[in-house]
Amino acid sequence: MTIDLKHTPLPTDFVDPVGIAPASFVAFTEGPAATADGIVYFSDIVNNRIMRFDSQTKTTSVWRIPSGRTNGLLFDAQGRLLACEGNEFGPNDGNRRITRTDMTTGKVEVLTSHYEGRRYNAPNDIAACSNGLIFFTDPCYGDRATMELDHDSVYRIDLDGSVTRVITQPAIQRPNGIALSPNERTLYLVDSCPVIGGNRKIWAFDLASNGTLSNQRVVFDFGSGRGGDGMAVDQAGNLYVAAGISRARGPHESSDVPPGIYIITPEGELKGRIPVTEDVLTNVTFGGDDLKTLYITAGKTLFSVRVTTPGFVVHRKPAIATTSQS
């Protein structure tokens, strides 16, 4: 008799019908950022460190420890590393600030650590314009009793160092991933709120050269499933959104959105999904000498996949052809 192992059902007489779920983490990867010479920096929030992957030698090493519970990473237009030092997966050792590292000298500069005299909740993700403006998200996905600010918001850091709150409730609920269109005229924002009925949306805003946002609109709605986390944009303006989960983590979400990188046009058309075998997908960036290597952080793993359209990253913008896409 041949046994069909591929379709063997869950033995509910022996285990809970809910099935297997993570009991502990040994790593939680986030925030990849790639250099032109093949180095990928990414966060391991659980272990409070930033890792360095050399795509030429295929070796991974610790680059910074402690990291202040760094989450999102991004190179600005001058090639300096921006870091969202957060406040998750650790007892009181998250720095809750935005820093900038000169990759030549190693000097670390604190760009902002407080808003109106209070510490940020847990800086999560970041976007940088070629003119020097910086936008970052500040939700709280951990213990909300630690919040000093009574809102989950998006902020802009201006050239003079001043900070402005530019998006907050009720316009959005829980801001997460953030990215710019290739022409820097549109700001995209993931709104992922892990409560029953919470937003699982991607918003778009018109972005003026002075940093003013307007014309908020929905690009895509993931419905009841796990929505987006981090995202990246290619040179044609398409969004690559890390989203989904294999098994719902509670009543606030369903398993209707399987894990993967969802490719979505600026008009909101879903072009397809790059499946990824590991939960939980967190973020994505473009790298490689041709910007056609997509790096994905998920669970304890850094994945890569080749794509046909090169990505948009602000620190390599001079090499990018002019695009009319949003």
Side-chain angles (χ1 to χ4, degrees), residues 15 25 34 101 118 123 133 146 196 212 220 222 283 306 311 325:
V15 299
F25 290 100
T101 300
R118 296 184 174 97
L133 296 180
T146 66
I196 296 173
T212 302
F220 195 82
F222 284 96
N283 219 323
R306 293 288 290 170
Q325 293 293 326

Side-chain angles (χ1 to χ4, degrees), residues 1-223:
M1 180 180 66
T2 302
I3 301 175
D4 184 3
L5 296 177
K6 184 177 180 180
H7 298 97
T8 300
L10 182 73
T12 54
D13 290 345
F14 294 85
V15 299
D16 190 301
V18 172
I20 194 167
S24 179
F25 290 100
V26 295
F28 190 83
T29 58
E30 250 286 7
T35 66
D37 58 355
I39 306 300
V40 183
Y41 296 87
F42 62 99
S43 303
D44 175 5
I45 306 177
V46 168
N47 290 303
N48 199 14
R49 59 188 182 174
I50 298 174
M51 307 301 293
R52 180 185 187 274
F53 170 70
D54 188 325
S55 63
Q56 302 299 316
T57 64
K58 309 300 182 186
T59 57
T60 302
S61 58
V62 176
W63 182 69
R64 176 178 292 166
I65 188 170
S67 70
R69 301 288 172 187
T70 289
N71 193 325
L73 296 167
L74 181 79
F75 287 105
D76 69 8
Q78 287 72 46
R80 299 168 296 188
L81 187 62
L82 303 173
C84 295
E85 300 186 9
N87 186 37
E88 296 177 301
F89 297 110
N92 304 316
D93 56 357
N95 287 339
R96 302 164 76 158
R97 64 187 188 179
I98 303 296
T99 61
R100 182 170 62 199
T101 300
D102 186 310
M103 302 303 285
T104 301
T105 65
K107 180 183 177 181
V108 179
E109 180 183 1
V110 178
L111 299 184
T112 181
S113 60
H114 292 72
Y115 180 73
E116 295 182 341
R118 296 184 174 97
R119 292 187 301 168
Y120 294 107
N121 300 322
N124 185 289
D125 205 0
I126 195 161
C129 300
S130 56
N131 65 5
L133 296 180
I134 295 170
F135 294 86
F136 69 94
T137 60
D138 184 47
C140 182
Y141 286 103
D143 181 2
R144 293 182 70 82
T146 66
M147 296 172 62
E148 296 184 15
L149 296 162
D150 60 358
H151 47 81
D152 300 65
S153 301
V154 180
Y155 299 87
R156 185 187 70 233
I157 305 175
D158 290 327
L159 302 186
D160 62 2
S162 61
V163 178
T164 303
R165 181 171 53 152
V166 293
I167 314 171
T168 191
Q169 289 82 20
I172 50 93
Q173 293 179 354
R174 200 74 57 86
N176 196 314
I178 193 167
L180 295 170
S181 63
N183 62 13
E184 302 185 31
R185 296 175 186 168
T186 304
L187 182 77
Y188 294 105
L189 177 68
V190 171
D191 189 356
S192 186
C193 188
V195 301
I196 296 173
N199 283 350
R200 309 293 174 5
K201 298 177 180 180
I202 300 173
W203 300 101
F205 299 81
D206 291 346
L207 173 61
S209 59
N210 65 357
T212 302
L213 299 174
S214 62
N215 189 26
Q216 179 179 358
R217 60 213 180 263
V218 174
V219 176
F220 195 82
D221 191 340
F222 284 96

Side-chain angles (χ1 to χ4, degrees), residues 249-322:
R249 296 165 294 182
H252 66 282
E253 67 186 5
S254 71
S255 56
D256 293 342
V257 182
I261 302 301
Y262 288 78
I263 302 176
I264 301 167
T265 69
E267 296 74 31
E269 179 186 356
L270 177 62
K271 305 299 290 186
R273 175 179 69 97
I274 304 171
V276 179
T277 57
E278 186 170 351
D279 283 341
V280 172
L281 275 76
T282 57
N283 219 323
V284 61
T285 195
F286 287 95
D289 56 2
D290 56 1
L291 286 172
K292 291 184 178 181
T293 299
L294 195 67
Y295 288 102
I296 304 161
T297 50
K300 62 181 183 300
T301 306
L302 175 69
F303 294 92
S304 68
V305 62
R306 293 288 290 170
V307 295
T308 57
T309 303
F312 165 71
V313 289
V314 70
H315 67 288
R316 296 175 65 181
K317 188 172 181 177
I320 294 174
T322 302

